[in-house]
Amino acid sequence: MAFKTLANQCLSSMLLKSRIPATNVLKRGFRERKKFYKSVSITESEGVFEINLDQRKLKTPSGKLFQVPSEALAIAVCTEWDKQTDIIKQHNMQMTTLCNTALDNPTGRNKEQVITSILHFLDTDTVCYRQELPVDLVELQTREWDPLLDWFNSRYETDITSTQSIMPPAVPDETRAKLKQHLLTHNEWALFGYESAVQSLKSIVVAFALMDRHIHVERAMALSRLEEEFQISKWGEVEWGHRIDHMDLQARVAAATLFVHLVTETTHKIKKIAV
């Protein structure tokens, strides 16, 4: 999957969520403010990019200067702030939130600790836990999850299996070591994006397939919510409730995916030479 295609899919998912009404759950933890600026711009300073709200420099919740490592990421953040109308809806500003997490690191964790947090999901990965009944759900899980698990094990040379037990499947130490080594090749910013995607999808297998561009955001959502969607197809959904939760989760997954690629993609500026 080309990066441009991935970026367009992620942006579509994020914009879709911004059109739904915010619930108290979505607003929780965010203090809404009236919009206090008219223009948003970007300034480059010593290889990092800053966001300007009129003449003010954007800052993080802890008061640090908001500086991001790539122009593309700065443009994404700038777009979020530019889209705000009368009220600043921070619960819709996924890219800004991820940047604030990377800049402030509110839990004070180092790279090793973030990786450990991600790898904890190996023991509870959604695609590894299978039902015994009903038969049609078992068949659905086998049909949808087995090919992805096979791809993952081949791609990362791992040995992850599924189980119908309440006990977690055994994950070999060699598998953990290989996945840790893969994560160590990423910078700290990218790891915060990985962690957000894994937490949202409740699956390392699905998140890694998404980051590797093996699947797209909508497919990742479908795979991670397989059992829930199966139950909804049988019993129906709570009007608006399930839909809003789904769109909010999809926006977070899309933002995390785009964030990882924007902080790891290498770009080069080419200066034009007058002739």
Side-chain angles (χ1 to χ4, degrees):
M1 186 190 304
F3 174 69
K4 184 176 181 180
T5 301
L6 175 75
N8 286 335
Q9 290 174 348
C10 290
L11 289 171
S12 295
S13 294
M14 292 161 65
L15 291 172
L16 185 64
K17 187 256 179 174
S18 68
R19 300 190 189 108
I20 65 174
T23 64
N24 288 335
V25 174
L26 298 186
K27 291 179 180 179
R28 189 178 299 157
F30 293 101
R31 180 172 58 88
E32 289 192 341
R33 295 178 292 166
K34 289 185 177 181
K35 186 177 178 180
F36 57 87
Y37 57 91
K38 293 182 179 180
S39 64
V40 187
S41 60
I42 299 171
T43 303
E44 182 178 4
S45 174
E46 298 181 353
V48 294
F49 299 85
E50 302 168 354
I51 309 298
N52 309 303
L53 306 177
D54 293 335
Q55 303 303 315
R56 304 182 185 183
K57 295 287 186 183
L58 181 62
K59 293 186 177 181
T60 69
S62 71
K64 291 181 181 178
L65 194 60
F66 191 99
Q67 296 178 320
V68 298
S70 79
E71 185 177 16
L73 180 57
I75 291 172
V77 172
C78 188
T79 301
E80 285 187 332
W81 286 88
D82 193 47
K83 282 177 71 275
Q84 303 305 305
T85 53
D86 295 332
I87 301 295
I88 300 174
K89 299 179 179 179
Q90 288 181 275
H91 53 271
N92 281 341
M93 303 171 74
Q94 310 288 349
M95 301 299 286
T96 300
T97 299
L98 285 165
C99 290
N100 282 334
T101 300
L103 287 165
D104 282 348
N105 190 9
T107 55
R109 293 175 299 165
N110 58 32
K111 190 172 182 177
E112 287 271 348
Q113 290 170 319
V114 177
I115 290 174
T116 298
S117 172
I118 295 171
L119 293 180
H120 274 317
F121 280 84
L122 281 173
D123 298 317
T124 57
D125 199 296
T126 296
V127 304
C128 293
Y129 284 85
R130 310 296 174 87
Q131 299 293 330
E132 295 181 335
L133 292 171
V135 174
D136 45 352
L137 175 56
V138 175
E139 292 175 346
L140 178 64
Q141 291 175 332
T142 300
R143 184 171 64 251
E144 296 293 324
W145 285 346
D146 278 5
L148 183 68
L149 200 53
D150 290 342
W151 170 86
F152 184 91
N153 283 326
S154 175
R155 167 68 176 84
Y156 294 100
E157 298 180 346
T158 53
D159 184 20
I160 296 177
T161 58
S162 61
T163 181
Q164 290 182 322
S165 169
I166 60 172
M167 299 300 293
V171 180
D173 290 341
E174 185 180 0
T175 288
R176 293 182 187 275
K178 286 180 177 178
L179 294 178
K180 179 179 180 179
Q181 187 57 44
H182 173 72
L183 290 169
L184 281 170
T185 65
H186 293 75
N187 60 46
E188 288 85 350
W189 284 62
L191 290 176
F192 282 116
Y194 262 92
E195 184 180 41
S196 178
V198 171
Q199 288 176 344
S200 297
L201 294 166
K202 296 181 174 58
S203 171
I204 283 182
V205 174
V206 177
F208 274 44
L210 180 58
M211 295 302 177
D212 215 15
R213 306 182 197 175
H214 178 66
I215 57 175
H216 51 69
V217 174
E218 290 81 2
R219 180 64 175 155
M221 288 293 298
L223 289 166
S224 71
R225 291 166 55 92
L226 200 65
E227 184 175 351
E228 182 176 352
E229 292 298 325
F230 174 84
Q231 298 298 342
I232 289 174
S233 71
K234 295 290 185 182
W235 309 106
E237 63 180 354
V238 177
E239 188 175 2
W240 272 107
H242 285 117
R243 184 61 178 161
I244 290 176
D245 288 344
H246 178 94
M247 294 171 72
D248 178 56
L249 189 64
Q250 183 167 314
R252 283 190 277 127
V253 171
T257 306
L258 186 58
F259 181 83
V260 168
H261 287 284
L262 291 182
V263 299
T264 55
E265 291 286 333
T266 302
T267 58
H268 301 279
K269 291 184 178 180
I270 302 175
K271 294 183 179 180
K272 292 184 177 179
I273 302 175
V275 289

